[in-house]
């Protein structure tokens, strides 16, 4: 039912602000007796009308045209204070067109809040880092493949499949590896439809790997990666470079990663043909196994050893894992800093700046994208809100849509557990975070989010026992440097769900598959489960 049918009035015009250009565009809403005139004001029509008007400006070519040629798009969003609501779905769940998707928000406007309809360039998850010294880091490509896992006590070998996603190393059984498809023969033609299908298949493959994995290793828990030097896997190792391994509570040292140039290729590495054939032809099998092996030296002083197919493959694993660990260790720290800067623009500084380890943060503040974090312009706050809710979350450009650490419990009177939660392809995957020597955290159960319901805020806090909630904000500082002082009302949300299969169905558009999909949805009277979550 439309706003006009409920007795309200549709505005006579819509004003679209363009923050990057510092201007705004006013569009008149056409009038029609049947109320169909407002349907012309859909997302695509408004974006195209704004584009035709803005192309006449001199700053269009420098600020918008170049970015559009690089693949970015113009999209609309409603902004209310620090909140950004993107307008992105043109169809509902039944496939019907949502021509009112822009003007729907008018019915929810509140007099005490100022709402703006803005035209912005879409931004996806950043793939570059700019360090203080001017160094620019690009996100390295992921790596995956089969490896032998060597246990430290028994020295037995177990074949596993290893895959990396967003700073995590996932391990799984070879039967659940979901390896990539073989490359196409050279000269084969590929259409746009084939490319979209290939990308969608890669995203499903990554989600399958995480849903069936045994566990994961956080790259931030890795101190160094090096070739194996001893016949037996050491139970504890000496930190590279001497000294003690820094404590994980130190967020500044936590991002340090040792780069040791001791993996120079030797002629004997190239002579290794790999596999069983190369091992049978070797005169010193123990030495060859060492050349094929490499270790992940953890921050807790332990090591995890893997053996590759050949010596050259082991060197390739070392080089790629080092690049990934160096990038993602800094990526997590920058993300935490940007999130805190965003919080400070809304609520102020959580904790005052102070001197630490001889560095005065007042005179030498950390830098994000070349700007100091203590003197950020107001435009940076607006851009940070847009970057925080980037379009990778909406369009699912990565296998991991959202990941983070939460405190969860399954009942009102249970105890909270520290878990890592990954949202991927309509599923919520949980990993238990325990203090283990190997830093390998095992996968818990996965939740299929079909037919589930989530609520937060006052309603979620009212559901919990009084002893589990507190109305007073408490300042907190975490291992990665994140600082927060949110109340329980701001960080608590509850998921009601019904158990379903955790398998990811293949996409299909037939009516039979749609009917079969609807038949899987259980009735409202069916039993449900509760999952109580608290963010950091």
């Amino acid at each position: 039912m439309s706003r006009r049918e409920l007795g309200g009035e549709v505005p006579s015009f819509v004003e679209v602000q363009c923050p990057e250009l510092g201007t705004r565009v006013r569009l008149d809403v056409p009038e029609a007796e049947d109320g169909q005139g407002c349907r012309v004001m859909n997302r695509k029509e408004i974006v195209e009308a704004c584009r035709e008007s803005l192309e006449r400006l001199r700053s269009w070519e420098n600020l918008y045209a170049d970015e559009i040629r690089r693949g970015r798009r113009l999209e609309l969003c409603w902004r209310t204070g620090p909140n950004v609501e993107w307008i992105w779905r043109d169809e509902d769940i039944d496939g019907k067109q949502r021509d009112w998707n822009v003007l729907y928000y008018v019915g929810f406007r509140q007099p005490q809040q100022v709402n703006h309809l803005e035209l912005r360039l879409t931004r996806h998850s950043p793939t570059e880092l700019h360090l203080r010294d001017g160094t620019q880091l690009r996100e390295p490509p992921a790596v995956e493949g089969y490896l032998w896992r060597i246990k430290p006590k028994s020295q037995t070998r177990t074949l596993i499949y290893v895959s990396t996603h967003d700073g995590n190393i996932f391990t799984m059984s070879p039967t659940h590896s979901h390896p990539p498809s073989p490359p196409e023969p050279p000269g084969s033609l590929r259409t746009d439809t084939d490319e979209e299908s290939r990308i969608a298949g890669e995203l499903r493959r990554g989600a399958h790997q995480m849903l069936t994995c045994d566990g994961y290793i956080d790259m931030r828990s890795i101190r160094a990666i090096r070739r194996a030097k001893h016949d037996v896997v050491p139970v504890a190792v000496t930190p590279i470079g001497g000294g003690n391994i820094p404590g994980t509570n130190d967020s500044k040292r936590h991002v340090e990663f040792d780069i040791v140039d001791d993996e120079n290729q030797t002629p004997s590495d190239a002579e290794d043909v790999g596999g069983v054939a190369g091992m049978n032809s070797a005169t010193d099998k123990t030495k060859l196994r060492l050349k094929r092996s490499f270790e992940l030296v953890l921050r807790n002083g332990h090591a995890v050893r893997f053996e590759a197919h050949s010596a050259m493959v082991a060197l390739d694993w070392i080089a790629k894992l080092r690049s990934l660990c160096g990038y993602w260790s800094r990526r997590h720290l920058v993300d935490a800093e940007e999130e805190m800067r965003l919080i400070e623009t809304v609520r102020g500084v959580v904790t005052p700046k102070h001197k630490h380890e001889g560095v005065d943060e007042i005179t030498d503040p950390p830098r994000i994208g070349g700007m100091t974090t203590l003197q950020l312009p107001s435009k940076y706050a607006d851009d940070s809100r847009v970057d925080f809710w980037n379009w990778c979350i909406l369009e699912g450009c990565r296998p991991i849509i959202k990941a983070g650490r939460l405190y969860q419990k399954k009942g009102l009177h249970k105890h909270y557990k520290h878990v890592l939660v990954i949202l991927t392809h309509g599923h919520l995957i949980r990993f238990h975070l325990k203090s283990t020597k190997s830093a390998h955290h095992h996968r818990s159960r996965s939740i299929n989010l079909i037919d589930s319901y989530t609520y937060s805020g006052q309603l979620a806090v009212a559901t919990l026992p009084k002893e589990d909630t507190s109305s007073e904000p408490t300042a907190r500082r975490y291992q990665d440097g994140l600082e927060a002082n949110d109340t329980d009302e701001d960080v608590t949300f509850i998921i009601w769900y019904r158990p379903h299969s955790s398998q990811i169905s293949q996409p299909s558009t037939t009516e039979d598959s749609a009917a079969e999909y609807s038949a899987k949805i259980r009735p409202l009277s069916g039993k449900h489960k509760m999952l109580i979550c608290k963010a950091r």
Side-chain angles (χ1 to χ4, degrees), residues 148 272-281 288 292 307-311:
W148 292 95
D272 181 14
V273 296
V276 180
M279 185 62 64
N280 293 335
S281 62
L288 181 59
R292 293 183 178 181
E307 181 180 328
H309 177 73
S310 65

Side-chain angles (χ1 to χ4, degrees), residues 60 86 89 120 130 149 182-183 188 230 326 339 466 492 495:
W60 166 268
W86 287 104
R89 291 191 68 94
R120 288 184 175 271
H130 300 274
R149 166 77 164 89
S188 59
H230 305 282
E339 185 174 347
K466 293 184 179 180
T492 304
I495 303 175

Side-chain angles (χ1 to χ4, degrees), residues 405-407 476 478-480 482 484 486 491 534-536:
R405 299 191 176 193
L406 296 174
Y407 299 96
R476 302 177 296 276
Y478 296 96
Q479 176 181 345
D480 56 0
L482 177 64
D486 303 283
V491 300
K534 280 191 176 183
R536 298 194 297 173

